[in-house]
Amino acid sequence: MTNIVRFIAIMIPILLSILACSNDEVHHTSMPTVNSRHSNQQSVYRPDMFLENIAFPFGEGLGQPLESGTPPSEAKLIKSFALTRSEAEVHIYKSGGDASPIYTGYLKGKNSEWKLGNLPNFNENQAWINPMNFITGDVSGAAIEIPFGEIGAQNGLLIYHPKTDSWKITDFQGHTAIPMDLDNDGVPEWVGNQTDWVPHAVEIHRWVAEYDRFESTVIQWDRSLFPDAPIEEIFYSSLFVEEGKHFIEIGYKDGYAFFTFDHGFLKKYKPTDTRSRVWEMQMARQHH
């Protein structure tokens, strides 16, 4: 009996300790995090905090560098695409057996040939390239719609310069971008609406005829562009399309406004419904 009493006396403190730890864990996991409390705070529509017209800075994007090279003798040419108004062509070669084929892209100029890179998961029956007929003058180009290159770009733009027999590649830094005519001028921009980034950001690539090249920007915070906003606030941008109208919500936790894109400028826009689309999108994600 004495041994039993001693055993109970020893076990009671241990059991109470385990129970206390268990209660602490349940209490801790049920507390909302700082991020969840922050995301439940809806910002306010404050167009007065932003400039009417913003000349957003663009710069030439750095695409994947090319190296000269020719396909191996055993490779078979399976796809060919000729660029308009030039001697340039885009070729796709297949090597290896049908069980595990290897696809590789090459860019052929007037007197040169360049390796575009591996094309993983290429489907021979899919639409893979389209001409960019809005490009005029000496240069020509095409939009390639398959993964390519060393960094695994999801799609990209190919520009051929016949005077230098060279190519410029826009690979969107590996992100997916889709063509949209944001300013309705007949020339598409390529837009990456990065809603998986924290915070959200809109990436825009546009053709600049004056320089025969694509230039890029990411709509992010800049004190010179948003002078009245607090210095340390995290800022977001996100693109929406409603009834055929493209507009961008720009803001931070206390205020937001809407803008349209017009030839490199962000112009303030007031929709009939001024609710925060970004906040509603975040709420919808939390409930799924």
Side-chain angles (χ1 to χ4, degrees):
M1 180 67 69
T2 302
N3 290 337
I4 293 175
V5 171
R6 287 178 179 174
F7 176 79
I8 293 173
I10 293 172
M11 288 303 297
I12 286 176
I14 295 175
L15 291 172
L16 290 175
S17 172
I18 294 173
L19 182 60
C21 291
S22 176
N23 287 336
D24 285 344
E25 289 176 1
V26 172
H27 179 70
H28 175 73
T29 56
S30 65
M31 288 291 289
T33 64
V34 172
N35 289 335
S36 67
R37 288 200 303 270
H38 174 76
S39 63
N40 285 327
Q41 295 176 353
Q42 183 176 4
S43 58
V44 179
Y45 178 57
R46 288 289 307 276
D48 58 292
M49 299 183 66
F50 300 85
L51 299 176
E52 287 291 333
N53 295 293
I54 303 171
F56 219 84
F58 278 74
E60 184 177 12
L62 299 177
Q64 299 190 38
L66 298 174
E67 56 184 55
S68 60
T70 57
S73 58
E74 69 274 11
K76 178 183 178 182
L77 177 64
I78 61 167
K79 295 285 183 180
S80 181
F81 182 88
L83 271 64
T84 57
R85 308 183 318 279
S86 76
E87 301 175 63
E89 295 183 342
V90 183
H91 293 166
I92 296 181
Y93 286 83
K94 178 181 177 181
S95 58
D98 291 335
S100 55
I102 299 173
Y103 298 97
T104 310
Y106 288 85
L107 305 177
K108 186 179 183 302
K110 182 179 180 179
N111 298 306
S112 63
E113 193 163 18
W114 306 83
K115 185 177 180 180
L116 179 62
N118 295 331
L119 311 176
N121 303 318
F122 178 67
N123 183 343
E124 296 184 31
N125 299 315
Q126 76 182 98
W128 63 284
I129 195 168
N130 287 299
M132 292 188 289
N133 294 323
F134 58 85
I135 296 178
T136 59
D138 292 332
V139 300
S140 55
I144 185 168
E145 300 176 358
I146 51 178
F148 71 93
E150 297 302 322
I151 67 171
Q154 298 303 303
N155 56 341
L157 308 173
L158 314 176
I159 304 297
Y160 178 68
H161 296 260
K163 291 182 179 179
T164 57
D165 194 19
S166 62
W167 298 77
K168 285 283 188 179
I169 309 299
T170 300
D171 57 18
F172 310 128
Q173 298 184 347
H175 313 137
T176 299
I178 61 176
M180 297 181 182
D181 190 357
L182 296 179
D183 42 21
N184 297 314
D185 63 351
V187 178
E189 288 75 33
W190 266 259
V191 182
N193 196 29
Q194 310 299 354
T195 58
D196 292 333
W197 290 7
V198 180
H200 299 173
V202 178
E203 180 181 1
I204 301 176
H205 306 261
R206 63 168 184 156
W207 176 249
V208 182
E210 180 182 358
Y211 301 113
D212 286 335
R213 70 187 189 189
F214 278 94
E215 294 185 350
S216 307
T217 193
V218 177
I219 300 178
Q220 294 179 322
W221 199 252
D222 188 312
R223 293 296 303 162
S224 64
L225 303 176
F226 307 101
D228 295 329
I231 294 176
E232 297 181 355
E233 289 297 340
I234 297 176
F235 141 89
Y236 66 83
S237 65
S238 193
L239 176 72
F240 297 89
V241 183
E242 295 179 6
E243 299 180 353
K245 182 74 172 181
H246 298 85
F247 61 90
I248 301 169
E249 180 178 333
I250 298 176
Y252 61 102
K253 72 178 182 65
D254 291 332
Y256 66 90
F258 300 100
F259 296 84
T260 57
F261 179 83
D262 185 8
H263 297 86
F265 284 82
L266 293 174
K267 295 187 176 181
K268 198 177 295 182
Y269 167 67
K270 184 176 180 179
T272 304
D273 185 352
T274 59
R275 74 188 189 281
S276 171
R277 276 64 165 178
V278 169
W279 184 82
E280 288 195 347
M281 183 167 52
Q282 291 174 341
M283 291 301 98
R285 286 183 174 181
Q286 288 186 15
H287 290 88
H288 283 82

